[in-house]
Amino acid sequence: MRYDRPVLSLHAACMAAVVCGGLAFAQEPPWSERALRAHVDQNDLRGTLPKMVLEELRRQGETLFDARFTPADGAGRPRATMAPAPTRREKASQTLFNRATGPDANACSGCHNQPAAGGAGDFASNIFIVENPEGDLAPMPDPSLANERGTSHIFGAGLIELLAREMTADLQAARSRAAAKAERQGRAVTLRLAAKGVDFGEIIVAPDGTTDTTRLDGVDADLVVRPFGQKGVFVSLREFTVTVLNHHLGMQADERFGLAHTGELDFDGDGVSVEMTEGDVSALVAWQAGLAPPTTIAPDDARWREAAARGRAVFGELGCAACHVPSLPLESLRFSDPGPVDAAGTLTAADVMEPAVYDLDLADWAAALPRDEDGRVLVPLFGDLKRHAIAGDGEPLGNERLSQRGVPTGSFMTAELWGLASTAPYGHRNDHVTIDGIIRAHGGEARDARSGYERADEADRSALIAFLKTLVIEP
């Protein structure tokens, strides 16, 4: 049986907050078993949001992130699979939860909770990426159908996405310049591609604009840097959010599963329409984008401080910083949503009168970010937003059999190390419980750095771990 919930505009929500000190939902009794009491109206989100409005939007996003959704909200997807694109099951599922293929959680924070909401997850919260939707009803994880994934933290995610957007723009602009040069000269141009000091291989552009991308390294042929997901397959927080709402919670976003895109009011057949509006997704994105980045602590223990200082030097000496780049420069903290590279399957800039802009410079934590002499933020991510082949056959991380969205099984996005000390266990399956263990598991392009670590004396290995243990999340 279908029902409709009242839509609460953001402006009305702010007004309620001023009058009542919080959002007011008069339509629902306090004992209601619905977690979602009202929706955010996307039409209220345009242009640069004032700080008060942005804070209210983020509060709504945090509420949604922590909400324990129930079937009354639309949780579950009896007729829809976990596939990213709207896909129907041949036979409706008779259960709300399926550990292997989802839905497998009540709330986003059910998995993202270490050390707080938005954080990482333990091995117990691992999920399974099924590449073949026909296997969606498998009762147990099957390595021939699914890859196992641990939950990563999303603190600092807004800065990560902004870096990726700028890198994408730089790479694509370089390709355009090469194409113009090839046309002028009447001969092919070979161009080495780099963005923010990160090398992405080279392209060869013919005079007619045809581009040979076979020598690219760590980025897709469209030169879009996709910073999210352990294989680097999600372009934005918005794409990731819409995808995982369906996969893990059975909550369908209108911008992908709604009437305009599927011709169905209730695509997943659970009796509920309008499960997540465009504005609801925007609230979730705003909350995630505004999460404070991890930090580096100065331990109270003098021995630890001394060891960490030596360990930071060892980090560079062993070559770890070649991929885990300590910081990347960011030109702007203005986070537009929808973003410039959001595409079909999510709300896009072409779908709205004007994208909303969440100015991260308004966040309390922004003042503490390091900056260079030109005023650019130096994002201390310890990563490079690039895929690397770090696992060969028989190596500890080389245990996957399925390619995810065409990314080779042994290739993974460089894990940002900020927050490392707060988010054990480690690895794409959360099955390495110590920092020493995950370092020794590195292979492929990281084999030399791993070997250097194994050859180093015990004091230097201990110092490196002392340094990495200062990279924490302080919620």
Side-chain angles (χ1 to χ4, degrees):
M1 180 175 180
R2 180 187 164 199
Y3 59 83
D4 295 312
R5 304 184 195 82
V7 174
L8 180 70
S9 77
L10 182 64
H11 293 166
C14 293
M15 190 177 301
V18 172
V19 174
C20 305
L23 298 180
F25 303 105
Q27 299 88 348
E28 292 289 337
W31 58 86
S32 171
E33 292 196 283
R34 296 183 191 178
L36 181 57
R37 306 300 182 85
H39 293 294
V40 177
D41 188 349
Q42 182 66 32
N43 292 324
D44 290 330
L45 307 177
R46 63 183 66 170
T48 302
L49 300 189
K51 185 174 183 178
M52 182 182 73
V53 177
L54 177 56
E55 288 176 347
E56 185 60 41
L57 179 66
R58 293 195 69 244
R59 276 192 288 273
Q60 179 71 354
E62 183 176 21
T63 297
L64 291 169
F65 196 88
D66 282 331
R68 266 53 178 169
F69 294 110
T70 73
D73 300 301
R77 43 178 171 81
R79 292 302 306 276
T81 75
M82 52 69 66
T87 309
R88 278 268 170 72
R89 299 180 190 266
E90 291 186 5
K91 185 173 73 171
S93 172
Q94 302 301 309
T95 60
L96 178 60
F97 294 111
N98 183 323
R99 187 69 185 89
T101 60
D104 50 14
N106 292 106
C108 302
S109 58
C111 297
H112 292 277
N113 53 38
Q114 183 177 296
D122 200 339
F123 185 83
S125 63
N126 280 7
I127 57 92
F128 302 91
I129 304 297
V130 179
E131 292 303 306
N132 177 10
E134 297 302 317
D136 189 68
L137 292 176
M140 293 294 290
D142 182 339
S144 68
L145 295 174
N147 290 323
E148 189 171 355
R149 290 281 185 272
T151 305
S152 302
H153 78 79
I154 50 177
F155 284 89
L159 299 175
I160 295 292
E161 183 167 342
L162 288 175
L163 282 171
R165 292 179 185 183
E166 291 184 1
M167 294 170 82
T168 295
D170 289 347
L171 294 174
Q172 293 182 343
R175 180 182 59 191
S176 295
R177 291 192 297 271
K181 182 177 179 181
E183 183 179 19
R184 283 196 313 271
Q185 296 181 346
R187 57 184 174 82
V189 169
T190 300
L191 177 67
R192 195 78 190 175
L193 286 172
K196 300 189 183 297
V198 179
D199 178 56
F200 287 98
E202 64 183 24
I203 56 174
I204 302 173
V205 187
D208 64 358
T210 303
T211 304
D212 179 352
T213 60
T214 57
R215 300 181 191 174
L216 281 177
D217 183 19
V219 70
D220 292 328
D222 59 5
L223 303 185
V224 174
V225 176
R226 293 174 166 82
F228 299 118
Q230 297 195 28
K231 304 292 277 191
V233 296
F234 294 102
V235 72
S236 66
L237 284 169
R238 192 166 198 107
E239 181 191 10
F240 180 78
T241 298
V242 170
T243 301
V244 300
L245 279 171
N246 172 68
H247 182 168
H248 301 304
L249 304 173
M251 294 291 292
Q252 284 71 43
D254 279 357
E255 61 198 76
R256 183 175 300 176
F257 296 88
L259 180 64
H261 306 282
T262 64
E264 303 263 358
L265 284 169
D266 180 20
F267 180 81
D268 64 336
D270 61 3
V272 180
S273 63
V274 192
E275 297 183 18
M276 297 294 290
T277 67
E278 296 165 346
D280 295 335
V281 175
S282 294
L284 280 164
V285 169
W287 184 73
Q288 293 172 86
L291 285 172
T295 189
T296 302
I297 60 169
D300 293 333
D301 188 310
R303 295 173 305 160
W304 189 354
R305 290 197 303 273
E306 182 180 355
R310 172 57 190 153
R312 182 151 196 158
V314 171
F315 187 81
E317 292 167 5
L318 294 180
C320 305
C323 298
H324 297 287
V325 181
S327 67
L328 295 178
L330 179 64
E331 301 287 346
S332 173
L333 288 173
R334 291 173 61 81
F335 186 103
S336 60
D337 182 42
V341 286
D342 281 314
T346 64
L347 193 70
T348 70
D351 297 326
V352 297
M353 292 183 62
E354 182 183 9
V357 176
Y358 315 141
D359 187 353
L360 302 187
D361 216 3
L362 297 174
D364 294 339
W365 48 261
L369 291 171
R371 300 176 190 253
D372 65 14
E373 61 275 10
D374 297 319
R376 298 180 300 178
V377 171
L378 297 176
V379 181
L381 74 168
F382 291 91
D384 60 2
L385 305 191
K386 176 182 174 180
R387 300 187 196 111
H388 293 273
I390 63 165
D393 290 340
E395 293 183 321
L397 298 177
N399 54 11
E400 296 200 341
R401 293 168 56 182
L402 292 176
S403 167
Q404 184 181 357
R405 299 200 193 181
V407 179
T409 56
S411 293
F412 294 88
M413 178 68 73
T414 299
E416 292 90 34
L417 297 185
W418 61 356
L420 180 76
S422 302
T423 54
Y426 309 112
H428 61 272
R429 294 184 67 243
N430 270 345
D431 55 355
H432 294 271
V433 296
T434 65
I435 295 173
D436 175 79
I438 190 61
I439 293 173
R440 294 177 186 273
H442 281 58
E445 295 175 38
R447 191 175 294 116
D448 288 347
R450 179 202 70 199
S451 297
Y453 174 81
E454 292 173 336
R455 290 193 303 268
D457 60 45
E458 178 59 30
D460 277 354
R461 288 199 300 269
S462 178
L464 176 60
I465 291 173
F467 162 62
L468 294 173
K469 283 281 192 177
T470 67
L471 306 180
V472 302
I473 294 170
E474 293 186 327

